[in-house]
Every structure is written in structure tokens, then in C-alpha cells.
Amino acid sequence: MASQPTALSNASEIEVLHEFVKLAKAKLGPGPWDYIAGGAETETTLIRNRLALDSLAFRPRVLKDVENVTTRSRFMGRDLRMPVILAPIGSIEDIVEGGAVTPSKAAAEFGIVHMLSSVAQPGPEEVARSNDNWKLFQLYVRGDAGWIDEIVARVIAAGYAGLAITVDLDHYGRRERDLAKRFKPTARRAAPTVRMHQERFAWADIERIKAKHKIPLILKGIATAEDAAEAVERGIDVIYVSNHGGRQLDHGKGTMQVLPEVVAAVRGRAEVVVDGGFMRGGDIVKAMALGANAVGLGKLQAFAAVSLGVPGVVRMLEILEDEAIRCLGLLGVKSFDQLTPRHLEAITPIPGRHGIASAYPLLGEDY
Ligand SMILES: Cc1cc2nc3c(=O)[nH]c(=O)nc-3n(C[C@H](O)[C@H](O)[C@H](O)COP(=O)(O)O)c2cc1C
């Protein structure tokens, strides 16, 4: 008789990544679930993130020595056990015990890096004190130049290694799952008067911040070669290709469709990060083959953190690493730096599979 899997209450019992999605959905009410899983308006951008990944097939090379494959890589002058950033999650304190400390500790334990959202609790100092790992901070502009200078000074004093400014939220996307349920996460309850600062924010402000503060700058939410070039000309250190997981501008491109033009425009003058729909080790391999230096995880991080806290996120990263190692080995390379765009080819994705189900077909119809 086939044995049933036991109730998954222990991270070490998790064998496949979709189990985190199931656990998270079972644990959250419909409002918080949709806050994590949903996108803006028709959710076309959200779906295209997965579609862009699914529109790439691997071209494996065989008969290479692929003993001792490693996912280790370098980013922002530091070692990462795997080229992955835990992306900023606002209002994480609403959905995860320990709030932003949870992914920060998990990143430390596994050996990658966490980017703290400026609209997450606890704030930068308390997160900094929670572990010794290096850290990144992400800022939404919610005040004037004086306000920005004060928060940037705090972040530098707390030892953060980089400041990401999110540039794809000048207007808040219409997240219709949230609107239809009248669901408002904590970060959305901010006074409307603070929004004008983000709306007015422009390249001149980036130049001012760059001139005034000694901290590597990351622009998060770049979606064209033109803006990547503008950023590089202003000495930005990291170009972060993102559409906010499809939560902002609807009917945008999938980020993996954007990545090649950005890599070409940057021409090695800055590092490049990409996020949007990354759910598998093989997805990370695809981004690295196209010239990314690291990949961000939003929803997958949230599902693992909601499910089982720090051990859950660490286990999720272990499974991703295992998938990535097998994928690299089967492609005939021992590490990410041996990949080239010739390991990939454009292909028609399998019809009828989209969104999260394209990453985890075992989830079935309800997701
Ligand atoms: C619940 C949730 C909250 C988020 N909050 C922020 C935030 O505070 N700041 C930010 O720059 N991006 C935020 N994002 C976007 C993520 O940092 C990341 O760009 C995106 O989730 C990547 O796509 P993925 O979810 O498909 O992995 C959030 C995403 C989610 C799912």
C-alpha cells in the first residue's frame, strides 16, 4: 500500500517546492494569499514573467566532466552560495512571524543576501542586529530630500552594503484581487500625501543621492535598454530588471524577455539582477546564461517564509540549489560562469500552462 506523506510541519520533510505553495495557501486567509500571489489589473505582466521563462529551452552539451558542480558565485564583490537575492517584501510583518527578520536570518544561514523593504517591519537597525550577514536595503521615496538623506544615513550607519531605489512604483498598481476583497496591507495604509514624493522623483534626484551618499546604488524596476543606459551613465552600480512581479504596470513584458537588451546596453559596466516568476533552479540557470549576475525571489520566498519561517526559507533555498546543480551538470558545465546564451534557445511554451502552474504542475487546478 502506498504510504501517505505525513503532515508537513517540519522543513526537513519538504521534498518539492510546490509544497511551500500549498502550505502557504492553507495557512493564509484569501486576502493575504492574494496580496502575495496577485498582480495588477489583467495580470498579463505577472503571467508573462513565467511565460518568458517557459519560452526558453536548454541546449545541453554532453561528455564534459561535470563532477563537483557548484552554484557559488560573486555579486557586489562578495561570495554567494547561490546567485540569489531574497527580494524586498513590504508588509511582511502582516504575513510572516518575525517580519523581515525571518528572510534576513534565512539568507544569513544559507549564505545569500536579503534586501530589506523600507515598508517592512522591523526597521533597518533591528534587522541589522538580528544577524551578521551582509545586507541590502530597498527604498520607496516617501518624503522630500531631507527625508531621503535621513533614512539613507541610517541605512549606511546600520552597515548595509547597498541601497536599492525602487523606480517602478511612481503610481501604485491597481491590484484588483486586493481591491475586490477590500484588502489593504499595512504599507498601503500610508497617507496619500506621501505618494507625491514618489510621483515627482526623477533622474536628477538619483544624481543628488549618488553625489551625496557613499553607498553602492541599485535601481530596482528597470524594464528597458534605454533606462539601463541612463542608469549606467550616472554610475549606478547594479541594474535590477524587474516589473515588481507583475504587480505594477500591466501588459508589460516578462522580465526574461527584457534581460538580453539590458545586458547588451550595460556592456559589463554594472552588475545586472533580474526577478519575476523565478520558481525553479533551472530558472536561475536561464537568467545566468543570459548574463544576469543574480536573481531575485519574491513570491517563492514569501510562500516558504509563511509556511515554515526561517527553516522553511532555508529548505526552499536548498531545494533550489539542488535543482540548479542538476541543471548545470546536465548542461555540461560545472558553474554559472561557464554558461553562455548558446545554452538556450527560444521555443514555444507548452500551451495551457501559465502562472504558477507552469512552474509546479503538481499543484493542480486550484492555483
Ligand atoms: C508580497 C510582496 C510584497 C512586495 N513588496 C515590495 C517592496 O516593498 N518593495 C519592492 O521594491 N518590491 C516589492 N515587491 C516586489 C518584489 O521585491 C519582487 O520584485 C517581485 O516579487 C519578484 O517577482 P516574483 O514575486 O514573481 O518572484 C513585493 C512583492 C510581493 C510578492
Side-chain angles (χ1 to χ4, degrees), residues 40-45 47 176 250-251:
E41 300 181 26
T42 66
E43 301 195 340
T44 298
T45 307
I47 290 168
E176 293 193 354
D250 195 18
H251 279 266

Side-chain angles (χ1 to χ4, degrees), residues 35-38 46 49 87-91 95 117-120 138 140 166 168 175 220 240 242-247 275-279 296-300 302:
Y35 167 63
I36 301 176
L46 175 109
N49 279 339
I89 302 217
S91 310
I95 48 175
S117 167
S118 64
V119 294
Q138 171 268 325
Y140 285 135
T166 293
D168 60 6
R175 321 246 174 103
K220 180 174 182 287
Y240 192 147
S242 177
N243 53 32
H244 222 100
R247 304 160 75 81
D275 74 15
F278 285 82
M279 299 272 163
L297 299 180
K299 287 184 267 294
L300 184 56

